[in-house]
Amino acid sequence: MGKRDLTINAKDFNLDNIGTTFELLDLYPVFNQVDNLDENGNQQFYKNGNVMTKETDEITGYMYAVKVLDGKFKRKTQTVKINGINPLMTIEKFYDSDDVKIKFDNLRNSYIGQNGALSYLADSVSLVVDNKVKKSDEKAGK
């Protein structure tokens, strides 16, 4: 048995299985990032050697901040990115809604940061059938 066989790493765990149903806490756009160039067109770098970037006005996807509602990570929070320009709902509609429950299609871990933070990606998102509408909407007959 080699040394490699004794080492535990992130691939030994199923990081994709964090839950099936989520409460939407926040929704915001993700903008395209481009290299930050100096006046001569050269890439700029931070002191640690990373390339400086800046956001453009182009939306490339949406980030969904969620609370896990089931499984062993119940009550934990996470963000999930979905590429594409069509969000589940407008940000205004989300802020006018109460208790928005969602599920993701093909939810998977996409990155483990140096500090151990996990990033997630999904192909699509949909509403769970038993979503509640805002109480003021019920009274107004909406």
Side-chain angles (χ1 to χ4, degrees), residues 17-142:
N17 187 15
I18 62 169
T20 59
T21 307
F22 305 86
E23 179 183 349
L24 185 58
L25 302 174
D26 202 0
L27 167 66
Y28 49 93
V30 176
F31 295 93
N32 188 31
Q33 299 278 324
V34 295
D35 290 347
N36 196 11
L37 306 177
D38 65 16
E39 60 276 353
N40 298 321
N42 298 317
Q43 281 185 330
Q44 294 183 303
F45 297 90
Y46 292 105
K47 288 180 182 178
N48 65 6
N50 291 340
V51 175
M52 288 183 178
T53 61
K54 62 181 178 180
E55 288 183 349
T56 67
D57 293 336
E58 177 191 5
I59 294 174
T60 59
Y62 283 85
M63 193 68 74
Y64 295 80
V66 297
K67 178 172 68 172
V68 182
L69 296 178
D70 59 2
K72 70 180 188 176
F73 298 108
K74 186 175 181 178
R75 296 188 189 100
K76 298 280 187 182
T77 59
Q78 184 61 49
T79 56
V80 178
K81 181 181 177 188
I82 298 183
N83 292 318
I85 58 172
N86 297 317
L88 174 66
M89 61 180 59
T90 66
I91 293 170
E92 295 79 17
K93 183 174 180 180
F94 164 67
Y95 285 124
D96 283 341
S97 300
D98 288 335
D99 195 26
V100 178
K101 292 181 182 146
I102 60 175
K103 58 184 177 178
F104 295 102
D105 183 41
N106 195 23
L107 178 65
R108 61 206 178 271
N109 176 254
S110 61
Y111 180 76
I112 302 173
Q114 290 180 347
N115 64 357
L118 301 175
S119 294
Y120 282 86
L121 184 65
D123 291 341
S124 62
V125 60
S126 59
L127 291 171
V128 173
V129 177
D130 66 348
N131 273 306
K132 298 177 184 175
V133 295
K134 195 169 186 173
K135 289 180 177 44
S136 61
D137 290 345
E138 289 174 349
K139 290 177 185 174
K142 294 182 182 177

